[in-house]
Amino acid sequence: MATLSDVAAEAGVSPTAVSRYLNNRIDLPQATRDRIDAAIAKLDYRPNLLARRLSTGKSEAFALVTPDIANPFFAELAAAVERQAHANGYSVYITSTGGHADAEMNAIRRMADSHVDGLIMTTNRVDDGSLANLLAGRENVVLLDEDIDGVSVPRVFVDNAEGTYLAAKHLIAMGHRDIALIGGPHRLMSVNERLAGFTRAMDEAGLPVRPGWVLLGDYTRDYGVAAASVLLDAVDPPTAILACSDYIAIGVMQVVREHGLSIPNDISLVGFDDMAFAALVDPPLTTIRQPVAAMGELAVKHLLALLEGQTPAAETRLPVELVTRQSVAPPSRKALK
Amino acid sequence: MATLSDVAAEAGVSPTAVSRYLNNRIDLPQATRDRIDAAIAKLDYRPNLLARRLSTGKSEAFALVTPDIANPFFAELAAAVERQAHANGYSVYITSTGGHADAEMNAIRRMADSHVDGLIMTTNRVDDGSLANLLAGRENVVLLDEDIDGVSVPRVFVDNAEGTYLAAKHLIAMGHRDIALIGGPHRLMSVNERLAGFTRAMDEAGLPVRPGWVLLGDYTRDYGVAAASVLLDAVDPPTAILACSDYIAIGVMQVVREHGLSIPNDISLVGFDDMAFAALVDPPLTTIRQPVAAMGELAVKHLLALLEGQTPAAETRLPVELVTRQSVAPPSRKALK
DNA sequence: AATCGCTAGTAAAGCGCTTTACATGTTAAT
DNA sequence: ATTAACATGTAAAGCGCTTTACTAGCGATT
């Protein structure tokens, strides 16, 4: 690989001149410019980014740490982040952590060691303080999708409470009174909020939130299966289930089918996320759409703002929306007693 | 950030000693080691990877360039690559290109400029030679999933022909004779091969491959819609469709439903890929499973082998398998005439 | 004639690390 | 007593770039 000095020698100037020319920090006469350009072309010179980064302390790159890139939600988030970053001349380095604490810490450290200009952090765990600690001293961090307690950096979230509120209102409007909620991990911000939105809708309708019908565990299909089994094996199952993720909803669907019941005739179901598959399952899933692309974009914008020394909003809530498909119907006469 | 010299000063030794100690290139007495360890802990020292990489010329990182990280197929591939790379102490930098030629070239160049140790390349286009050109001089490259003509690096593919062969055999065994194939972009390796496998199965069964029933376009849902419309609007539609990707299959499903027909009663359908949603759609999709995790792992292993100066197999074909679900049934009596 | 200001650059230090080659003091062998 | 070998390090160069501070030469001004 040709180096800057090679180019300089070839063009008969000093490396300084070439460097400054390439970075638009000097005005050179046309003849000199031509010689440098010719040298670059001849030697097929490309600047060594490592060296440049070491020298300038800037990398023109962001890190995105994410629990699981194979999860379409995070994959789409990643795609949005990348798109927006590229549009602004930044690369992004994606790491997935498997949602494991050590891996998250390692990823953050490793990214810091590589001296990226900023970090977009997504997690799906509730932190025991170690993450908060690690993030505490750092600049140019933004939190996306899920909170980490005690970290005071710009945060970009979705209006979780509004989502479940809309979903529950929809179920109630269809005539349901016996509504269960299946949520993610206890104490996770999004879970708290989604529970709160659900509770508010129920309260407003004068409906009770039965403790046995609030099941908190994981945003996974497996947990959907487990929770739905509990609900459907009870003597008086709910007529509707509000699943706090589409993955949970899929699990619920499976159990409902295994019980010889049908959605939406016997049980109504609302999901959360509006993942690509939500429209494809049987029946197509009514769900709450998260503005994934907007989330990713905004996170990048905040990072860019931080780099410019600005102070973006401490917390932004992006709006969600109810997407009506075919997994919700009025409760069956039998269920209405 | 503390530097190596800071640590050295704190420990009362030379930077050389610290560096060599950290890299296990020197035997120091316990007392000295303790002093260095203490200094590192006290200053919270972490080596600057940029500097290390610039100095050693090694980055302990791979690049993975991929058309679209939001596509679950590539996302899972990426996850597998990452897992395997991490297990061997390597980071991986993922870039998605949107399947656009310029973006692919830029990504490759950019990664090269960042001096990664190796590159895993996936594409979904047929190359006009520019990619091949760009890749020609480079070492430590492996091609994954799809070929690029004229690039002589280790390649890891799936047994595409075997996949469609199995799928077609399955349909034929169920009694179908009128089978159409919807494939990806003309001239893409996987498309050629999948068509070949299909043709072989049909030939072996003495069945004709009707030109009007081989539709090549894109591996997307949209193309599935377009192609299925053509097939179903014809006077004598096929009784079975072999979709060369699950995305295509989804599009087919939609069109079949819109025509008031049912899968598998009126039309049988086989997909290709076995994406996560294949089991979730209605009806669950019979499809060809690609060993995505194995593909990612093998690509990394090949890269590691290259780095060790070994010469991995020029081309590896990973086996596919037929996953039988509920989108295939014998042709209806009517269709059998 | 001396000074100023401009053009067209350059020398050298530094980013933080690795690595080669060498140095010093001590112990063991002859 | 001398030498060799070993233990315990260190000095300095180099990775490829950027950046600060400087300079040589020239024409214009006073």
Side-chain angles (χ1 to χ4, degrees), chain A residues 4 16 19 23 45 48 52 55:
Chain A
L4 190 81
T16 312
S19 171
N23 293 292
Y45 169 74
N48 179 329
R52 163 177 294 170
S55 188

Side-chain angles (χ1 to χ4, degrees), chain A residues 46-226:
Chain A
R46 310 216 84 223
N48 179 329
L49 291 188
L50 251 33
R52 163 177 294 170
R53 288 172 185 178
L54 177 61
S55 188
T56 58
K58 305 192 169 302
S59 68
E60 242 109 73
F62 296 142
L64 170 66
V65 355
T66 217
D68 179 15
I69 194 67
N71 178 324
F73 177 77
F74 294 111
E76 277 180 40
L77 216 42
V81 165
E82 244 197 330
R83 206 178 315 119
Q84 186 70 19
H86 281 171
N88 287 277
Y90 282 78
S91 301
V92 7
Y93 296 142
I94 306 169
T95 321
S96 40
T97 62
H100 208 39
D102 318 2
E104 284 181 344
M105 317 256 297
N106 281 337
I108 294 173
R109 289 215 187 84
R110 218 182 149 78
M111 288 304 178
D113 297 347
S114 304
H115 291 260
V116 294
D117 293 332
L119 168 68
I120 298 179
M121 177 79 200
T122 63
T123 182
N124 59 357
R125 301 182 308 106
V126 355
D127 176 40
D128 64 357
S130 351
L131 265 189
N133 235 326
L134 188 55
L135 256 19
R138 295 176 202 276
E139 301 175 324
N140 305 332
V141 176
V142 356
L143 242 47
L144 180 56
D145 177 54
E146 199 63 79
D147 203 12
I148 298 177
D149 224 55
V151 176
S152 63
V153 302
R155 280 156 293 151
V156 175
F157 304 140
V158 110
D159 195 341
N160 289 295
E162 179 72 6
T164 41
Y165 179 76
L166 289 175
K169 288 277 274 189
H170 178 60
L171 289 170
I172 293 165
M174 293 297 267
H176 291 275
R177 308 180 48 83
D178 300 325
I179 308 176
L181 175 136
I182 306 179
H186 188 52
R187 301 198 358 210
L188 202 59
M189 179 197 71
S190 64
V191 177
N192 292 341
E193 296 181 351
R194 289 177 195 186
L195 178 53
F198 171 69
T199 305
R200 180 157 72 87
M202 295 294 274
D203 283 356
E204 285 181 15
L207 261 24
V209 173
R210 289 176 42 175
W213 283 0
V214 172
L215 298 173
L216 266 29
D218 254 313
Y219 279 137
T220 60
R221 178 181 183 169
D222 283 351
Y223 184 67
V225 168

Side-chain angles (χ1 to χ4, degrees), chain B residues 18-47:
Chain B
V18 179
S19 171
R20 299 183 64 190
Y21 167 60
L22 288 177
N23 293 292
N24 293 315
R25 301 230 181 300
I26 196 175
D27 266 333
L28 293 178
Q30 189 62 46
T32 311
R33 294 211 297 265
D34 289 346
R35 285 203 326 274
I36 296 179
D37 287 338
I40 287 174
K42 176 171 174 195
L43 300 177
D44 192 24
Y45 169 74
R46 311 217 81 225

Side-chain angles (χ1 to χ4, degrees), chain A residues 1 46-51 53-54 59-60 68-72 75-76 78-79 82 86 89-96 109-111 113-115 221 250 257 276-277 279-282 284, chain B residues 1 46-51 53-54 59-60 68-72 75-76 78-79 82 86 89-96 109-111 113-115 221 250 257 276-277 279-282 284:
Chain A
M1 283 291 285
R46 310 216 84 223
N48 179 329
L49 291 188
L50 251 33
R53 288 172 185 178
L54 177 61
S59 68
E60 242 109 73
D68 179 15
I69 194 67
N71 178 324
E76 277 180 40
E82 244 197 330
H86 281 171
Y90 282 78
S91 301
V92 7
Y93 296 142
I94 306 169
T95 321
S96 40
R109 289 215 187 84
R110 218 182 149 78
M111 288 304 178
D113 297 347
S114 304
H115 291 260
R221 178 181 183 169
I250 294 296
R257 197 168 297 142
F277 63 75
L280 308 177
V281 294
D282 169 44
Chain B
M1 282 290 285
R46 311 217 81 225
N48 179 327
L49 292 188
L50 251 34
R53 289 173 185 178
L54 178 59
S59 67
E60 243 110 70
D68 179 16
I69 195 68
N71 178 324
E76 278 180 38
E82 243 196 333
H86 281 172
Y90 283 78
S91 302
V92 7
Y93 296 143
I94 305 169
T95 320
S96 41
R109 289 217 186 84
R110 217 183 150 78
M111 288 303 177
D113 296 347
S114 303
H115 291 258
R221 178 179 183 172
I250 294 297
R257 197 169 295 144
F277 63 74
L280 308 177
V281 295
D282 168 44

